[in-house]
């Protein structure tokens, strides 16, 4: 029953995160504070879930590398945004990065239930590996887009 409660809380968090952004854009309620806090809260949410899944052995073995890739990219993009902000350079979120987040969120939800369903462990790990691959690629794209500003 504990895994089900965790899954419900996780789904609630994921849905409210999605709705927050959607409502803000739809009703033009985007603020500088929201632009600042939303990515931070997203990273805390996803990072915490991944680390807890590693801690309880739902993500283990080689799949921990996927978590490291995802976390490293998140730190890198945050650092790039912090570095480029004073230069008035924006790194907008790409559509592929939004798909990455979707694949990642679904995979983590599936992995919460992994011990109880064999297919959940398989599908969750496949999804996490796909999210890590997309994460690495989008991280490269962000870095490539920012590269010219390093030389200035």
């Amino acid at each position: 029953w504990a895994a089900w409660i965790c899954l419900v809380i996780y789904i609630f968090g994921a849905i409210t995160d999605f709705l927050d952004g959607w409502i803000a854009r739809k009703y033009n309620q985007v603020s500088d504070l929201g632009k600042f806090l939303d990515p931070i809260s997203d990273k805390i949410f996803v990072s915490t879930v991944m680390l807890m899944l590693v801690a309880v052995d739902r993500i283990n073995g080689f799949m921990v590398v996927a978590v490291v890739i995802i976390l490293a990219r998140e730190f890198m993009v945050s650092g790039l945004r912090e570095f480029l902000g004073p230069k008035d350079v924006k790194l907008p979120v790409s559509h592929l990065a939004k798909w990455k987040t979707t694949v990642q969120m679904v995979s983590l939800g599936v992995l919460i239930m992994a011990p109880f369903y064999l297919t959940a462990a398989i599908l969750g790990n496949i999804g996490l590996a796909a999210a890590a691959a997309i994460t690495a690629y989008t991280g490269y794209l962000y870095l490539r887009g920012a590269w010219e500003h390093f030389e200035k």
Side-chain angles (χ1 to χ4, degrees), residues 90-112:
K90 306 289 185 218
L91 280 180
V93 177
S94 69
H95 289 293
L96 187 57
K98 289 184 181 199
W99 276 105
K100 179 265 312 172
T101 300
T102 302
V103 171
Q104 185 175 280
M105 294 286 220
V106 170
S107 299
L108 293 177
V110 170
L111 284 168
I112 289 171

Side-chain angles (χ1 to χ4, degrees), residues 9-32:
I9 293 169
Y10 175 77
I11 290 171
F12 179 76
I15 289 172
T16 56
D17 175 53
F18 169 78
L19 288 175
D20 170 60
W22 182 78
I23 290 169
R25 286 185 299 277
K26 180 174 174 77
Y27 295 104
N28 199 24
Q29 296 294 313
V30 177
S31 69
D32 288 337

Side-chain angles (χ1 to χ4, degrees), residues 77-143:
V77 171
S78 293
L80 284 174
R81 286 193 171 117
E82 188 172 327
F83 173 76
L84 295 172
K87 299 173 186 286
D88 204 31
V89 176
K90 306 289 185 218
L91 280 180
V93 177
S94 69
H95 289 293
L96 187 57
K98 289 184 181 199
W99 276 105
K100 179 265 312 172
T101 300
T102 302
V103 171
Q104 185 175 280
M105 294 286 220
V106 170
S107 299
L108 293 177
V110 170
L111 284 168
I112 289 171
M113 300 308 295
F116 310 106
Y117 304 100
L118 177 61
T119 55
I122 295 166
L123 292 174
N125 281 319
I126 290 170
L128 189 62
I134 298 168
T135 296
Y137 182 66
T138 59
Y140 162 76
L141 293 177
Y142 282 122
L143 190 58

Side-chain angles (χ1 to χ4, degrees), residues 1-57:
W1 61 268
W4 283 103
I5 291 173
C6 289
L7 181 62
V8 167
I9 293 169
Y10 175 77
I11 290 171
F12 179 76
I15 289 172
T16 56
D17 175 53
F18 169 78
L19 288 175
D20 170 60
W22 182 78
I23 290 169
R25 286 185 299 277
K26 180 174 174 77
Y27 295 104
N28 199 24
Q29 296 294 313
V30 177
S31 69
D32 288 337
L33 181 62
K35 287 181 197 176
F36 169 73
L37 289 178
D38 187 63
I40 293 170
S41 66
D42 291 350
K43 286 170 184 44
I44 292 169
F45 179 61
V46 170
S47 299
T48 301
V49 172
M50 285 191 297
L51 292 174
M52 290 298 99
L53 288 171
V54 169
V56 297
D57 213 29

